[in-house]
Amino acid sequence: MMSCIIRKIRTPDDFASIAEILGYVFAEPTTAENLADEDAKIPDTGSLWINEDGQLAGFDRCRLVAVNDKGEVVGYGISWRAPWTEAGELNHLLAVHPDYRKQGIGRALYTELENWAVLNGASKLNYEVNDNDASSIAFAEHRRFDQERHQFESVLELSKDSLKSLPSPPTSITIKPLSEMEELEAERKLYELYKVTSRDIPGISGNYFDFKEWKKWTLELPGSRPEYVLIALDGDRYVGVAQLLHQTSTESMYHEYTGVDKAYRGRGIGLALKVSAVQLAEQLKIKYLRTNNDSLNLPMLHINRDLLGYKPVPGRYKMVKVLPNENNALVNKAAKSETNVKVEVLQALMTDKTVIKNLVQFYIYDFTEFTNERINEQGTYPILSDLHKYWENHDGYNAYLIKANGEIAGFVLVKQLEDERSHKLAHFFILRKFRRAGVGKQAARAVFGSITGKWELNQLENNYPAIAFWNRVISEAAGLDLMVRYEQGKRIQRFTIR
């Protein structure tokens, strides 16, 4: 795996690089401006909680980038849920620049996103991949994602010949753009139509937007204009809608949505809306139209491909992963409320050297669950190679004993790194009888609270209990100021305590 740093995104500085990377994944390009516009619609601070059914609720997002040794953004990942997302679920997106794929960057990003999901108590992850991208499909399957749905993508090249062959819809329904609707409640009536018709989309889940959020994510999308929202009318009743988005960089339009009131289906209204959309695109000198539909939405697939002549192009799979129960148990253990144990972190004296040396044997023994460390012929494990430095006047080396209600509970070894401006929590150990009682958390707080500035610590990549513990401790101590890198099987975190 190449050396890279995983960190939180920096807005708006990272948007241009993220937009470039997303251009290799999505069918249509995006821009830094589009990402900034989307970002402005979302509150800076989210809030997640576990609802009365034990499922993750609320909204928040974790956005990460992978940065190479030149400081260039080479990968992007996001885990998010909106207020209307199905309870328990998080949505994931991963993208790595083609020049940096198959070097472990996607794996590092995914690991951090799943850690965040587990930390917050998610029970299901949703992840979309292009259906013609064998390596991304294999990546997802290797991480125990299963295919749940197939989203077909279709393109209609616009030409005089294609327009001549458009069918005549068998309907007398009037179709007008939103821009010509003069009634004050036009947007509210349109919202109700979207809300009703969206329920019948195959694969739809979760709650529907409220009116304010619907406007943000429908009428205020990049490329949206009232002229591009076509409404089918029966008198003053809104019975169908089709929405287009204008992609200026490719001189194309995306057919974002089509919906028909269930009471009016079977009358050719969907086809009429689709034909009107094609005619509008022709008037605007659009080169092509792009649309998608679920593989189970056979009526719309018939209209698009059989009647209008849309051609199939690569689409996307929705992959899902149910997080195993042990992950949820891990969260519950990590989040267990602290007890009334009195925890002390004391500077280790020379007389404590033998105590910590003995504790190291238990420390290494615990690690054999994750390593191949072998016991020697004397029945002991090799001592830590630099343990002596913590008592032999080596500047920057500090050893601490942890006591719980006056009883020895563990130890901490801290050393100053070579830059002399940061510290490394080199070793941290809590005896098993004191775990999950708040002792480790209190001890970690005390150590970090005693030395402000830059810190570093690491866990083995497969030591999931330690990862869960330190994720929670660091998120409380350092907030967003965290960078992660992966080296030789270790997950290394750098952060600042202020």
Side-chain angles (χ1 to χ4, degrees):
M1 174 180 174
M2 72 165 288
S3 177
C4 71
I5 290 174
I6 309 297
R7 61 165 172 79
K8 299 282 187 179
I9 76 164
R10 295 168 182 163
T11 60
D13 298 352
D14 291 335
F15 282 152
S17 298
I18 293 171
E20 179 188 355
I21 292 169
L22 291 177
Y24 294 106
V25 176
F26 295 148
E28 299 288 344
T30 188
T31 65
E33 291 75 18
N34 287 347
L35 294 177
D37 177 71
E38 178 182 283
D39 187 57
K41 296 175 182 177
I42 301 172
D44 292 334
T45 303
S47 177
L48 295 174
W49 64 87
I50 303 299
N51 66 18
E52 59 187 11
D53 297 321
Q55 297 291 308
L56 182 65
F59 71 96
D60 204 356
R61 54 187 172 161
C62 175
R63 295 180 293 172
L64 305 173
V65 290
V67 181
N68 66 12
D69 55 8
K70 298 178 182 178
E72 300 167 333
V73 173
V74 297
Y76 171 65
I78 178 172
S79 179
W80 63 275
R81 64 169 283 117
W84 49 85
T85 303
E86 187 76 17
E89 297 184 9
L90 284 171
N91 304 298
H92 279 200
L93 169 68
L94 277 178
V96 177
H97 192 286
D99 294 343
Y100 291 87
R101 291 176 187 169
K102 299 187 182 300
Q103 298 182 52
I105 293 173
R107 175 167 61 88
L109 281 167
Y110 174 79
T111 299
E112 292 304 310
L113 293 179
E114 183 169 298
N115 287 339
W116 188 77
V118 170
L119 176 65
N120 284 288
S123 54
K124 182 181 178 183
L125 306 181
N126 303 318
Y127 176 40
E128 287 196 354
V129 298
N130 292 336
D131 60 11
N132 64 337
D133 186 346
S135 62
S136 292
I137 295 169
F139 179 93
E141 290 175 341
H142 181 69
R143 284 153 185 82
R144 300 182 181 178
F145 281 83
D146 296 313
Q147 181 187 331
E148 182 181 84
R149 311 205 70 81
H150 193 183
Q151 193 80 1
F152 287 151
E153 195 94 2
S154 306
V155 167
L156 177 65
E157 301 285 347
L158 295 183
S159 66
K160 291 182 179 180
D161 291 337
S162 65
L163 293 170
K164 286 179 182 178
S165 61
L166 284 178
S168 299
T171 182
S172 59
I173 296 293
T174 301
I175 295 177
K176 289 184 178 181
L178 178 60
S179 57
E180 294 182 13
M181 299 298 175
E182 297 179 356
E183 55 187 328
L184 295 176
E185 291 297 307
E187 289 184 353
R188 177 67 66 171
K189 289 175 67 174
L190 186 60
Y191 166 70
E192 295 299 332
L193 178 62
Y194 268 82
K195 187 175 181 180
V196 169
T197 56
S198 69
R199 295 172 187 162
D200 298 321
I201 299 173
I204 197 73
S205 64
N207 300 317
Y208 198 68
F209 312 87
D210 62 28
F211 178 70
K212 182 179 177 181
E213 291 297 317
W214 170 80
K215 281 194 67 174
K216 277 191 207 175
W217 301 107
T218 304
L219 301 185
E220 297 172 7
L221 285 171
S224 178
R225 294 179 62 175
E227 301 94 295
Y228 306 156
V229 181
L230 305 176
I231 302 172
L233 297 161
D234 181 12
D236 61 356
R237 180 174 177 177
Y238 292 14
V239 300
V241 60
Q243 183 192 16
L244 298 173
L245 303 176
H246 190 191
Q247 180 67 267
T248 55
S249 63
T250 56
E251 299 180 58
S252 67
M253 297 191 92
Y254 182 71
H255 198 120
E256 170 73 11
Y257 188 79
T258 306
V260 177
D261 189 316
K262 186 176 289 187
Y264 284 79
R265 291 177 194 163
R267 304 188 192 182
I269 295 175
L271 177 60
L273 286 164
K274 284 280 189 177
V275 170
S276 296
V278 174
Q279 291 170 339
L280 172 61
E282 191 275 335
Q283 293 170 14
L284 296 170
K285 308 300 181 185
I286 295 302
K287 291 183 176 179
Y288 63 88
L289 277 164
R290 182 182 293 272
T291 192
N292 70 70
N293 58 268
D294 190 274
S295 59
L296 298 183
N297 194 346
L298 299 180
M300 194 55 66
L301 188 64
H302 172 64
I303 290 176
N304 287 336
R305 294 186 177 177
D306 298 336
L307 301 182
L308 297 179
Y310 275 83
K311 303 299 182 185
V313 294
R316 293 173 74 77
Y317 289 132
K318 178 184 177 184
M319 313 287 284
V320 299
K321 176 179 180 177
V322 177
L323 291 176
N325 291 332
E326 56 263 30
N327 281 358
N328 295 327
L330 202 62
V331 173
N332 293 333
K333 290 177 181 179
K336 188 174 180 179
S337 60
E338 296 179 19
T339 63
N340 293 322
V341 176
K342 179 184 177 182
V343 176
E344 299 173 281
V345 179
L346 307 171
Q347 184 82 42
L349 306 175
M350 182 61 72
T351 53
D352 298 317
K353 181 178 179 180
T354 300
V355 176
I356 291 181
K357 183 177 179 181
N358 291 337
L359 288 173
V360 165
Q361 289 294 304
F362 299 110
Y363 173 63
I364 297 176
Y365 169 73
D366 279 0
F367 268 108
T368 59
E369 182 179 353
F370 312 103
T371 68
N372 293 317
E373 189 72 54
R374 297 176 62 179
I375 202 165
N376 61 29
E377 294 298 326
Q378 288 73 44
T380 60
Y381 292 102
I383 200 66
L384 299 176
S385 61
D386 62 349
L387 186 62
H388 65 283
K389 294 183 179 179
Y390 290 87
W391 285 273
E392 295 181 6
N393 296 319
H394 285 273
D395 291 338
Y397 283 75
N398 289 283
Y400 303 91
L401 267 179
I402 300 171
K403 290 191 174 183
N405 289 339
E407 184 179 347
I408 292 173
F411 67 86
V412 186
L413 301 181
V414 176
K415 62 183 178 182
Q416 195 171 59
L417 295 178
E418 292 181 0
D419 61 14
E420 297 185 351
R421 291 174 297 184
S422 57
H423 290 79
K424 180 174 182 178
L425 199 155
H427 303 281
F428 184 92
F429 176 63
I430 302 294
L431 287 165
R432 287 182 178 269
K433 68 175 287 186
F434 295 105
R435 294 176 193 173
R436 295 186 290 279
V439 174
K441 191 173 183 180
Q442 290 186 62
R445 282 177 181 166
V447 173
F448 291 146
S450 67
I451 306 175
T452 58
K454 295 181 179 179
W455 279 87
E456 178 180 298
L457 61 84
N458 63 260
Q459 306 92 47
L460 295 174
E461 283 189 55
N462 60 342
N463 189 346
Y464 301 114
I467 289 172
F469 172 79
W470 288 111
N471 278 348
R472 187 168 295 278
V473 170
I474 295 173
S475 67
E476 293 178 2
L480 298 179
D481 186 11
L482 171 67
M483 292 192 294
V484 180
R485 71 179 190 275
Y486 287 79
E487 290 181 3
Q488 299 177 333
K490 292 183 179 179
R491 176 178 180 261
I492 304 167
Q493 299 110 301
R494 289 186 66 90
F495 51 95
T496 303
I497 302 295
R498 293 184 171 85

